[in-house]
């Protein structure tokens, strides 16, 4: 198990016209990553997810606090620890575009000092795992976005790590590829017993994949939930985006908020509202005569986002 205890990190920026040149990126978080489980770290952009990963994976020294592996501080044997972990991020960095998939993986295998007999077996296995066996001898520059991301996954597994940090692994991927990648992640935890930390700002992804989820907000962990708790909350409310024929006023918002089955209302644009609650009841409210000043142009069910979750009353 990896345990981060009271981890803090601040960054100093060059002096600017602004007084505040210190960024408190992570403000004393406690987090546990267990083998065989997927732990989620959920937060908006700038919440401190990547900084947390950098500390927990031994890349960045915390200003305060300690990272432990099996109760021993990782700084005692940082080289060993780094061999047991790897980071896979959703960006396309870290691949050599002019090399083939196979040669990329060979390069990283050598970097880890893995012997030839081992990597000759491991690389084809990894390429198979991520569905790139046919593209093995193709240069990365000819790859689609999805293929590059699969190769990133293989690269992150090259040292056969015990712990894998996925930093927004499905960001910008097509739905189908993201689904495939999620299956690989689930498989790594549940069948291969890897300890996984996954950061994401997709609430649905976290609820679907993670055993436990930490909510990170402005460098602080605001709550920890099991995925069961999270999906129950996410299930009790649905979101319906409604566009009206004219500019929405406070009276309409108030009226909707006070209606049965409505938990919260959020203005999305001058003409549209997100209404949270039970969609069948929301539809009834909308059909009500009292809204007759307004007519509904469009109504569609949408997925609840992390922002909705954090900044509305839907879970209260
Ligand atoms: N190397 C750095 N130097 C200065 N500021 C940084 C650095 N890395 C991150 N930050 C700042 O720390 C905060 C948290 O960033 P980050 O950990 O990347 O968040 P997230 O991954 O959740 O988007 C942000 O305000 C970001 O601008
Ligand atoms: Mg990040």
């Amino acid at each position: 198990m990896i345990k981060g205890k009271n981890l803090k990190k601040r960054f100093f920026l060059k002096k600017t016209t602004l007084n505040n040149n210190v960024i408190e990126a992570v403000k004393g978080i406690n987090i546990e990553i267990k083998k065989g489980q997927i732990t989620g770290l959920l937060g908006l952009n700038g919440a401190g997810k990547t900084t947390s990963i950098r500390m927990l994976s031994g890349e960045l020294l915390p200003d305060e606090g300690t990272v432990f592996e099996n109760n021993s501080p990782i700084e005692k044997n940082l080289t060993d620890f780094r061999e047991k972990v790897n980071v896979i991020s959703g960006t396309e960095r870290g691949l050599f575009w002019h090399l083939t998939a196979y040669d990329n993986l060979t390069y990283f295998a050598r970097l880890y000092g893995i012997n030839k007999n081992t990597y000759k077996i491991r690389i084809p296995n990894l390429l198979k795992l991520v569905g790139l066996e046919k593209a093995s001898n193709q240069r990365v520059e000819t790859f689609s976005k999805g293929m590059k991301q699969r190769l990133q996954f293989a690269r992150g597994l090259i040292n056969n790590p015990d712990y894998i940090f996925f930093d927004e692994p499905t960001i910008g991927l097509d739905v189908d590829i993201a689904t495939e990648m999620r299956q690989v992640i689930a498989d790594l935890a549940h069948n291969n017993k890897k300890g996984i930390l996954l950061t994401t700002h997709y609430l649905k992804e976290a609820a679907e994949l993670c055993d436990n989820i930490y909510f990170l907000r402005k460098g602080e962990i605001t709550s920890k939930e099991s995925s069961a708790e999270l999906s129950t909350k996410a299930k009790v409310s649905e979101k319906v985006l409604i566009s009206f024929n004219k500019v929405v006023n406070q009276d309409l918002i108030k009226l909707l908020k006070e209606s049965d089955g409505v938990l919260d209302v959020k203005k999305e644009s001058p003409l549209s509202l997100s209404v949270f609650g039970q969609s069948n009841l929301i539809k009834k409210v909308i059909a009500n005569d009292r809204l007759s000043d307004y007519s509904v142009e469009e109504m569609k069910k949408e997925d609840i986002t992390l922002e909705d979750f954090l900044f509305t009353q839907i879970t209260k």
Side-chain angles (χ1 to χ4, degrees), residues 11 13 23 25 43-52 54 167-168:
F11 294 108
L13 302 178
I23 293 180
L44 301 177
N45 271 339
K49 301 184 296 295
T50 301
T51 307
S52 301
R54 292 178 66 204
D167 197 1
E168 310 211 40

